[in-house]
Amino acid sequence: MKADSLLIRYAELSVKGKNRKKFESRLEKNVRKKLAVWPEVTTSRSFGRLYVHLNGAPRLEVESALQDVFGIASFSPVMRTELDEEAVFSAADLMTKEMLPGGGTIKVSVRRIEKQFPVGSQEMNQRIGSAVLRNNPSCTVDVHQPDLELKVEIRTDGIYVSGGQKPGLGGLPVGTSGRGMLLLSGGIDSPVAGYYAMKRGLTLDAVHFHSPPYTNDRALQKVKDLARRLAAYGVGVRLHIVPFTACQLAIHQQVPDNCEITVMRRFMLRMAEAIAAQQDIKALLTGESLGQVASQTIDSMYAINQVTTMPLLRPLITMDKMEVIAQAERIGTYATSILPFEDCCTLFLASDVKTRPNAEKVAYYESFLPIQELVDEAVENAETMYIQAEQPADEADDLL
Amino acid sequence: MIYLDNSASTRPDPAVLASYQAAADAYFANPASLHPEGTRAENLLEKARKQVAAQLRAEPFEVIFTSGATEANNTAIQGTAKNKTGRVHMVVTTVEHPSVHETCLHLESQGVDITWLHPDQDGRITVPQVESALKDHTCLVSMMHVNNETGVVFPIEEVGGMLQHYPNVAFHVDHVQGAGRVPLDFSEAGVDLLTISGHKIHGLKGTGALLVRKASLLKPLLHGGGQEAGLRSGTADAAGAVSLAKALRLTMEAAGDKQQHMRRLSLDIQQFLLERPDVFVLQPGESAPHITAAALTTRNPEPFIQAMAEQDVIISTTSACSSKAAGSRVWKGMGLDGSGAVRISLTSSTTEEDVEGFKQAWLQAEEKIIKAGAAL
């Protein structure tokens, strides 16, 4: 017998009252999707717990996949035995051998939920502890900071022995907070903003502004790769590629250089909002961090924000660049983000961008542009694709 | 032909050759070019990188494609030395492949402090032996996984675990003979630099890779366009990378079933040789499943392997890379007389019939050479 299942503990779900069922089933669905590469893996729920049954799948790899799923507080390998003392001893012994192959300190914590079981929990603590120590001479007891805490739960349907708890990502299961539209540039910040939005349960759509021929296929590929990386934390990202060249050239011709970026951001928000509305999405997300660049000062945000009434969420607003970079490295987007391809924000960039643009003046400058026409045309020609965590097969795969 | 010199080189897998040809034809553009054809080639190159990484449990950015194991070993060792200022100390065994051994000898002549670890008569190196060789300014331990002449397996995981306590010491492993034969997990084994070669696993010559935990561990040997994370300039060879990735996948997928098979055949060969007169068979404790090392105690091995080749059975004297040297350095390193050393190295597709054919050829060669009075 080996630890053939994993017990998943929910993060935050216990406080969600009537919605709890919805959250639980969503988490189970997300877990199944994440573990779909192992078709033998099954899941089940009982008594407010989610179980993953390995059925032969490699435990360490499954554990590492679970560490990408939001809504999990922690998980532990678990074995279920009959309501029988000898069976528990042997399960606890096997669990110890699997988790502490070189020996170490242990602690046993028994909870007797099934009160019909004849031995009390204190007594069981001692009996299990001494059985484990007898069979594992290199183990000793440490009740304060054990290397392995064996948790034993005596329940009506059997006894559960778990150990080797690992932390999950926390947060809410992706899909339980509705949907959000992320402005995904290809830089370092926006993927991290998307990650934090997913952490609070949002399903992501992403919009990217593409200015061919000034921005090339590689810049686009980079954005797809970033969306794919984000999809690993959730359930796929719907990516909208908006052709931005015509709008950008019109702005460049009409608007003074130092206000160009402000006007451009206003157009981006309008287009993102239009696509969001089509998709019945009720929030926009950006990777803005206060004061990081000229377009992210309070004055700039004020001027840019005028064009939309949708909630504009900025998960990174108070974060330092170094914090964002560290998080980008943790979530695996950094290496892609720093690939040096031009994106539309750096095109035609003036050397003296205003850090305190005047909202009224900006509106005046852009009033000479056919605003609705530019927005409608771009939105109409947007290309939408669904990006999954797994790279789709292409002709190149046959060679490998 | 019964080919039993797979540790020198293997026959390319037809599927690998087909992929190479198709990729070289359809993805010939420079992967660094910005046009769509370049992007296609880059996409293929990156897929190959990802696959190599997945097979060895590494991250894609850790894979640096090279022209083969010699370049990878040189990059690992010289690149580490070049990356250091002040005193440099390295620890290496005396039984490494020439591409490690000669590189270290060269560095030694340039003033680098090298500690040479001698294995015991069974070819073993122990963890305490490595640990006691470490100094304050040690920057690299280089140790092969499977010895190419004797098949001895070094305790890489254990040494890697010990070196976790010495964060300034990088750990390089020449995994050329181990890949696909003796499992090694790059992410778990505590290894910082890992060398693999294509043509030892039914891929093509001119392909190989160095896995690099952190690019900052090394300075490049080749300067130029900054390809391969700046560690190996030169136009990236997408087709070569594909051939390596495919060969590695096919070998690793077959590995699980075939290890026992190769082990059984090797034991059969060893049993046979033990019963022959004037043959010493090396039987180390920890050994790879595909290599049998033996020595003819009274004869020059060369006419003997020629006599076998006349019957279409190919075995070799020690390693091809050392064939120009007199006697075997590896055997000497273990305190043994290796002047009559021969090596029989199998691959996953070696059959029982091949082994039978080998035995017959051996018996006939014995007879022929004794009859000819050629026992030297």
Side-chain angles (χ1 to χ4, degrees):
Chain A
M1 188 164 64
K2 275 170 68 176
D4 51 1
S5 297
L6 295 166
L7 156 64
I8 293 179
R9 297 177 197 84
Y10 304 140
E12 294 200 28
L13 296 196
S14 52
V15 298
K16 294 293 172 186
K18 284 182 186 165
N19 285 328
R20 187 182 167 112
K21 271 241 143 43
K22 196 180 95 187
F23 282 76
E24 285 181 12
S25 66
R26 187 71 208 204
L27 180 62
E28 183 174 20
K29 192 174 153 195
N30 292 356
V31 164
R32 288 167 96 117
K33 173 143 179 109
K34 184 72 193 180
L35 304 181
V37 280
W38 297 283
E40 65 272 34
V41 168
T42 57
T43 60
S44 66
R45 277 186 283 152
S46 75
F47 298 102
R49 296 266 177 83
L50 177 59
Y51 293 92
V52 169
H53 308 290
L54 297 172
N55 298 320
R59 178 170 61 80
L60 290 175
E61 285 174 42
V62 170
E63 287 186 357
S64 136
L66 285 176
Q67 283 179 318
D68 283 348
V69 179
F70 290 117
I72 294 177
S74 67
F75 53 83
S76 315
V78 63
M79 294 183 203
R80 191 177 78 92
T81 73
E82 297 308 308
L83 283 159
D84 170 71
E85 241 183 281
E86 285 302 321
V88 180
F89 293 165
S90 111
D93 175 44
L94 288 167
M95 184 65 85
T96 308
K97 288 194 163 71
E98 190 173 345
M99 297 298 150
L100 290 179
T105 55
I106 60 159
K107 172 187 178 179
V108 182
S109 318
V110 176
R111 284 177 67 204
R112 191 176 55 133
I113 294 149
E114 169 56 63
K115 300 296 182 198
Q116 300 296 314
F117 192 77
V119 188
S121 54
Q122 280 309 320
E123 179 65 22
M124 278 302 277
N125 269 340
Q126 287 174 12
R127 290 192 191 177
I128 295 170
S130 50
V132 169
L133 292 181
R134 219 168 24 244
N135 286 321
N136 298 276
S138 53
C139 286
T140 53
V141 170
D142 179 351
V143 291
H144 300 293
Q145 284 187 316
D147 298 323
L148 172 69
E149 181 175 3
L150 289 166
K151 292 187 178 172
V152 179
E153 290 193 354
I154 303 169
R155 288 173 175 267
T156 316
D157 60 335
I159 302 180
Y160 293 80
V161 179
S162 67
Q165 180 170 330
K166 289 187 184 171
L169 276 185
L172 300 172
V174 172
T176 54
S177 298
R179 293 164 66 199
M181 177 70 76
L182 172 71
L183 279 75
L184 185 61
S185 66
I188 295 167
D189 301 334
S190 47
V192 178
Y195 170 87
Y196 280 121
M198 293 168 103
K199 181 174 183 186
R200 294 313 298 169
L202 278 177
T203 304
L204 280 193
D205 274 40
V207 58
H208 176 73
F209 299 93
H210 185 41
S211 298
Y214 301 102
T215 58
N216 64 24
D217 285 352
R218 286 180 186 227
L220 202 55
Q221 187 57 46
K222 178 176 157 181
V223 170
K224 291 179 194 168
D225 289 344
L226 289 172
R228 178 163 298 119
R229 184 65 208 135
L230 287 177
Y233 293 101
V235 290
V237 173
R238 189 175 286 110
L239 176 64
H240 308 272
I241 310 283
V242 178
F244 200 55
T245 318
C247 181
Q248 204 167 359
L249 289 174
I251 295 170
H252 190 52
Q253 278 162 14
Q254 183 61 46
V255 176
D257 284 0
N258 58 11
C259 288
E260 227 175 279
I261 191 82
T262 313
V263 173
M264 205 169 91
R265 300 292 291 176
R266 283 162 66 100
F267 271 93
M268 287 178 175
L269 278 195
R270 287 186 181 105
M271 290 171 189
E273 185 188 36
I275 296 173
Q278 280 177 4
Q279 301 280 337
D280 199 23
I281 289 173
K282 299 188 182 69
L284 301 177
L285 293 149
T286 71
E288 288 167 305
S289 159
L290 187 58
Q292 191 182 103
V293 291
S295 66
Q296 298 178 16
T297 60
I298 287 289
D299 290 275
S300 282
M301 285 191 222
Y302 177 78
I304 292 166
N305 223 149
Q306 303 279 309
V307 300
T308 178
T309 53
M310 237 180 228
L312 179 51
L313 310 181
R314 301 176 173 94
L316 311 186
I317 193 68
T318 61
M319 282 172 78
D320 294 344
K321 191 73 183 181
M322 294 319 289
E323 292 175 66
V324 178
I325 287 175
Q327 187 63 15
E329 284 179 332
R330 264 198 295 281
I331 67 175
T333 55
Y334 184 72
T336 307
S337 286
I338 58 170
L339 293 174
F341 306 121
E342 190 128 43
D343 72 40
C344 62
C345 292
T346 51
L347 279 181
F348 321 127
L349 189 62
S351 54
D352 58 337
V353 178
K354 275 201 185 305
T355 53
R356 302 186 59 190
N358 179 315
E360 281 165 30
K361 274 190 190 162
V362 168
Y364 173 73
Y365 293 143
E366 72 175 18
S367 68
F368 298 97
L369 289 167
I371 295 174
Q372 201 55 45
E373 216 171 282
L374 286 168
V375 171
D376 289 347
E377 199 194 330
V379 170
E380 209 165 287
N381 292 313
E383 187 193 342
T384 299
M385 59 196 72
Y386 190 63
I387 306 270
Q388 304 241 35
E390 284 305 308
Q391 203 159 5
D394 63 27
E395 35 154 27
D397 291 310
D398 298 338
L399 296 171
L400 290 160
Chain B
M1 178 179 66
I2 297 174
Y3 182 80
L4 301 176
D5 193 16
N6 289 287
S7 287
S9 196
T10 54
R11 180 197 291 268
D13 189 306
V16 171
L17 275 176
S19 277
Y20 178 82
Q21 191 172 7
D25 183 40
Y27 296 83
F28 63 85
N30 189 327
S33 295
L34 291 174
H35 47 65
E37 282 304 303
T39 309
R40 277 182 71 232
E42 188 201 30
N43 176 40
L44 182 65
L45 176 69
E46 293 312 313
K47 282 190 180 215
R49 193 185 308 281
K50 200 172 155 190
Q51 181 161 315
V52 169
Q55 293 294 336
L56 298 167
R57 300 249 300 133
E59 295 295 331
F61 65 82
E62 294 172 333
V63 178
I64 304 299
F65 289 116
T66 67
S67 66
T70 293
E71 188 196 327
N73 284 338
N74 270 270
T75 303
I77 296 166
Q78 293 198 57
T80 302
K82 284 173 74 169
N83 200 32
K84 298 285 168 194
T85 51
R87 291 192 305 163
V88 176
H89 173 242
M90 294 181 173
V91 178
V92 63
T93 82
T94 54
V95 295
E96 297 294 314
H97 185 266
S99 59
V100 169
H101 189 81
E102 294 298 323
T103 304
C104 289
L105 280 177
H106 166 73
L107 287 179
E108 200 171 34
S109 75
Q110 303 285 307
V112 171
D113 183 8
I114 307 262
T115 299
W116 301 91
L117 298 180
H118 296 269
D120 66 14
Q121 285 231 338
D122 285 330
R124 277 183 307 230
I125 298 268
T126 62
V127 178
Q129 203 180 346
V130 179
E131 190 164 17
S132 62
L134 299 177
K135 302 181 184 178
D136 288 344
H137 56 295
T138 306
C139 60
L140 186 77
V141 172
S142 179
M143 188 182 223
M144 66 203 323
H145 185 204
V146 173
N147 188 278
N148 56 317
E149 292 191 25
T150 61
V152 171
V153 178
F154 281 151
I156 299 303
E157 279 98 347
E158 290 79 358
V159 173
M162 178 274 289
L163 287 174
Q164 296 300 307
H165 303 296
Y166 300 88
N168 294 328
V169 183
F171 187 24
H172 169 239
V173 173
D174 175 351
H175 186 44
V176 167
Q177 294 292 341
R181 277 108 184 190
V182 185
L184 186 67
D185 185 324
F186 185 65
S187 68
E188 297 285 328
V191 177
D192 299 297
L193 300 156
L194 188 87
T195 298
I196 60 166
S197 166
H199 79 104
K200 310 280 189 184
I201 50 171
H202 302 279
L204 302 176
K205 286 152 197 80
T207 64
L210 179 66
L211 270 57
V212 182
R213 173 86 53 218
K214 276 201 304 259
S216 59
L217 290 170
L218 300 178
K219 285 272 191 299
L221 304 189
L222 304 180
H223 298 271
Q227 289 89 347
E228 302 295 312
L231 288 179
R232 202 278 180 181
S233 288
T235 301
D237 176 8
V242 163
S243 74
L244 178 65
K246 183 148 191 167
L248 189 60
R249 176 175 69 79
L250 294 174
T251 306
M252 301 283 271
E253 282 174 1
D257 308 337
K258 294 296 184 179
Q259 273 173 36
Q260 291 309 318
H261 170 73
M262 286 192 286
R263 172 84 63 196
R264 215 177 55 240
L265 296 184
S266 290
L267 286 175
D268 189 15
I269 289 173
Q270 285 160 20
Q271 199 55 46
F272 167 78
L273 292 178
L274 280 170
E275 289 163 10
R276 303 313 311 149
D278 303 331
V279 176
F280 170 78
V281 182
L282 202 62
Q283 289 177 302
E286 267 303 295
S287 70
H290 64 298
I291 297 178
T292 295
L296 309 177
T297 50
T298 58
R299 285 186 210 109
N300 180 347
E302 214 170 307
F304 195 83
I305 64 166
Q306 294 301 346
M308 291 198 59
E310 279 167 23
Q311 302 165 70
D312 245 8
V313 175
I314 309 297
I315 65 169
S316 75
T317 59
T318 67
S319 121
C321 291
S322 312
S323 59
K324 293 179 189 78
S328 162
R329 170 173 53 79
V330 171
W331 283 63
K332 277 184 205 140
M334 292 163 62
L336 297 168
D337 172 22
S339 56
V342 295
R343 178 183 66 186
I344 301 107
S345 48
L346 316 184
T347 187
S348 55
S349 57
T350 306
T351 63
E352 268 132 28
E353 291 74 50
D354 292 340
V355 172
E356 278 314 305
F358 158 80
K359 291 180 188 169
Q360 294 313 317
W362 184 283
L363 294 175
Q364 290 196 19
E366 229 176 49
E367 206 167 291
K368 180 174 173 188
I369 285 186
I370 291 166
K371 258 189 197 160
L376 299 170

